Amino acid sequence: MTFMSDKQKGLVESIGELWEHCEHRFCVRHLYANFKKKFKNDIIRNKVWQAARSSKVEDFVEVMEQIRRIDERAWRWLTEKPATQWSRSRFRTYPKCDMLLNNLCEGFNGDRTIIAARSMPIYTMLEMIRVKIINRRASKRLECETWFSEIGPRIAEIMEVNARGSGDFDVCWGGDSSYEIFKHRQPIATIDLTSMACSCRQWDLTGIPCMHAISAIYSISEDPVKYVDGGYAKTTQRRIWKDVIHGIKNERYWTKTNQPPLLPPKQVKQVGHPKKLRIKPASEIPADARKFTRGHRKYTCTQCKKQGHSFRTCEKRANLAAKIRKKPEKRRRNQPNKADFKVTTPTKFTKNKIKPAFLLEFSVNIQTTIGNNVKMNTQDYKSYRKKKCN
């Protein structure tokens, strides 16, 4: 039996006491989330995933040595975590599972039915989950009957991908069921078909023949499906899902007991709207995301040409603001521009009581009304003004 958790408090001690001989793994995504809070180097972050995916001990040691050369503090932080809990190179081969993430649990909690059930009372929530499990087991039983081969369609796809890459190797038979795999005249793996093991440990961890194993199987003209672990067989899946969860009667028909009724706990109303969805970290990309956030982009200022900030947050913006020209205001059609005229205030003439308010000097000839409905153009008014002043 294998347990996988996100290293919550109390789980490590309780699992170790109750199931001391079972394997306990940690979700690498949660481990990575704690790691990147302390270490911001992107190269080291990629090395962490590379070390977790390494199936051979030699590859794991090599990646850890590269991390130590880059940052010894990060290497010391990782060595404090046992490699048997987060690296494939130290996983046991008996469970036939190489999962690094607890997506099975997260997928069940993220189901729409479970999200709707979590906000319900305890009895209603358990009933909705029970109906969900009944429907799932029934659909799995019917799905097994639709398989066209002895293995499931998902395993068949993995086998097909491995079969495509098996043609790049040369096979050398060593005797009995032992084979050696070469690529470009260099030995890369050893195969034992009897024990169904490969030196790359991918066949050992998953129970599905790897590319090296399929190349050796093809050399003796046998079907690779025969070498798939029995846990993926159609007969095994039938036995897993054959049990039926029977329905129960309504609570009105339950057997009466002399025990006091089980009352719900006192509900304390919290501030704000109740939350139904979990709080996702910033590094997690939602499933329906169409655009990436700007967090991964490197800004370059268009003014000083330096990275790390934009023009809006540039330090020289205050000095450059005065030099930036403002765009001219848009004017309507057939409307004169303000630059085509200026407004002046002429002197007051007390003799004939001529007091025009403003004189508009346009580039075009306009007429001005002066005094007792006497009309004259701009040039006549200027000559009239000179005569009066003299």
Side-chain angles (χ1 to χ4, degrees):
M1 186 181 297
T2 301
F3 293 92
M4 177 173 285
S5 65
D6 52 359
K7 204 177 180 181
Q8 294 181 350
K9 295 181 179 179
L11 289 178
V12 179
E13 294 78 7
S14 58
I15 293 177
E17 293 178 0
L18 299 177
W19 299 279
E20 57 181 355
H21 299 292
C22 294
E23 185 180 18
H24 186 195
R25 302 177 186 176
F26 293 150
C27 179
V28 181
R29 187 178 66 83
H30 292 85
L31 178 71
Y32 174 74
N34 296 331
F35 178 82
K36 70 178 183 178
K37 291 179 182 179
K38 299 182 179 181
F39 308 100
K40 306 297 182 180
N41 193 340
D42 294 337
I43 300 177
I44 300 180
R45 295 179 185 178
N46 298 331
K47 293 294 181 181
V48 172
W49 284 105
Q50 186 177 352
R53 295 190 181 102
S54 299
S55 59
K56 294 190 291 187
V57 179
E58 295 79 9
D59 296 340
F60 173 77
V61 173
E62 182 179 355
V63 175
M64 291 296 293
E65 182 64 22
Q66 295 175 4
I67 295 175
R68 190 184 67 82
R69 295 174 184 174
I70 298 173
D71 191 345
E72 190 170 356
R73 291 176 53 253
W75 172 81
R76 193 179 299 108
W77 189 88
L78 289 173
T79 51
E80 294 176 356
K81 312 295 185 294
T84 56
Q85 299 174 347
W86 63 278
S87 178
R88 288 175 180 170
S89 60
R90 306 298 175 89
F91 285 172
R92 299 179 185 177
T93 58
Y94 176 77
K96 303 303 177 185
C97 177
D98 64 341
M99 294 183 61
L100 298 174
L101 311 175
N102 57 349
N103 287 339
L104 292 176
C105 179
E106 296 293 341
F108 186 79
N109 291 334
D111 193 276
R112 295 181 179 178
T113 305
I114 304 303
I115 291 178
R118 288 188 299 184
S119 60
M120 298 295 177
I122 296 177
Y123 174 72
T124 308
M125 179 187 68
L126 295 177
E127 281 296 307
M128 295 178 67
I129 295 176
R130 184 181 65 86
V131 173
K132 178 68 177 178
I133 294 175
I134 292 175
N135 294 331
R136 175 178 173 81
R137 295 187 65 87
S139 62
K140 287 296 182 180
R141 284 194 299 271
L142 296 176
E143 185 179 346
C144 293
E145 302 300 330
T146 59
W147 291 2
F148 295 100
S149 63
E150 293 299 322
I151 58 176
R154 174 62 178 167
I155 308 301
E157 292 178 2
I158 299 175
M159 293 281 291
E160 184 179 355
V161 173
N162 294 339
R164 293 174 185 173
S166 63
D168 300 334
F169 307 114
D170 298 327
V171 182
C172 178
W173 179 48
D176 294 335
S177 60
S178 177
Y179 295 86
E180 189 173 358
I181 309 301
F182 291 85
K183 185 175 183 180
H184 304 300
R185 299 181 180 179
Q186 297 293 329
I188 57 175
T190 56
I191 305 294
D192 190 354
L193 296 182
T194 304
S195 60
M196 292 194 297
C198 178
S199 60
C200 70
R201 297 187 78 247
Q202 294 183 5
W203 191 8
D204 307 48
L205 289 171
T206 61
I208 304 172
C210 59
M211 294 184 293
H212 313 127
I214 293 179
S215 62
I217 295 170
Y218 280 162
S219 65
I220 57 177
S221 302
E222 289 192 6
D223 189 6
V225 178
K226 297 180 180 178
Y227 293 88
V228 178
D229 188 76
Y232 302 107
K234 186 175 183 178
T235 55
T236 306
Q237 295 296 319
R238 284 176 176 174
R239 291 198 303 267
I240 292 175
W241 305 106
K242 71 175 182 179
D243 296 330
V244 179
I245 301 177
H246 299 281
I248 59 176
K249 299 180 181 179
N250 191 278
E251 58 181 341
R252 290 177 54 192
Y253 305 101
W254 291 357
T255 304
K256 303 296 182 180
T257 61
N258 297 326
Q259 301 295 331
L262 184 63
L263 300 177
K266 294 183 179 180
Q267 186 177 3
V268 179
K269 188 175 181 181
Q270 302 293 335
V271 180
H273 194 273
K275 297 180 180 180
K276 296 183 179 180
L277 302 177
R278 66 181 179 86
I279 301 176
K280 298 182 179 180
S283 60
E284 184 175 352
I285 301 175
D288 57 345
R290 297 183 179 180
K291 294 183 179 180
F292 287 100
T293 58
R294 294 187 177 183
H296 69 284
R297 300 181 183 178
K298 293 184 179 180
Y299 287 93
T300 302
C301 182
T302 57
Q303 189 65 34
C304 63
K305 307 301 180 183
K306 294 182 180 180
Q307 293 185 353
H309 65 277
S310 62
F311 175 76
R312 295 182 178 181
T313 58
C314 186
E315 297 179 355
K316 299 181 181 179
R317 185 185 178 189
N319 299 331
L320 297 174
K323 300 180 181 180
I324 299 176
R325 290 186 176 182
K326 295 183 179 180
K327 294 183 179 180
E329 297 180 359
K330 294 182 179 181
R331 56 191 179 92
R332 298 179 180 177
R333 188 179 296 178
N334 300 329
Q335 181 180 2
N337 196 351
K338 292 183 180 180
D340 297 338
F341 66 92
K342 62 181 180 178
V343 180
T344 59
T345 304
T347 56
K348 297 181 181 181
F349 300 94
T350 57
K351 187 174 182 180
N352 294 329
K353 297 181 180 181
I354 300 175
K355 297 181 180 180
F358 295 96
L359 174 63
L360 305 178
E361 296 180 357
F362 287 88
S363 60
V364 296
N365 293 331
I366 60 174
Q367 292 183 346
T368 309
T369 303
I370 303 175
N372 299 326
N373 298 327
V374 179
K375 295 183 178 181
M376 61 180 68
N377 55 24
T378 306
Q379 296 180 357
D380 295 339
Y381 177 76
K382 288 182 178 180
S383 60
Y384 172 78
R385 179 182 173 185
K386 289 181 180 179
K387 291 179 182 181
K388 292 296 182 181
C389 292
N390 294 331

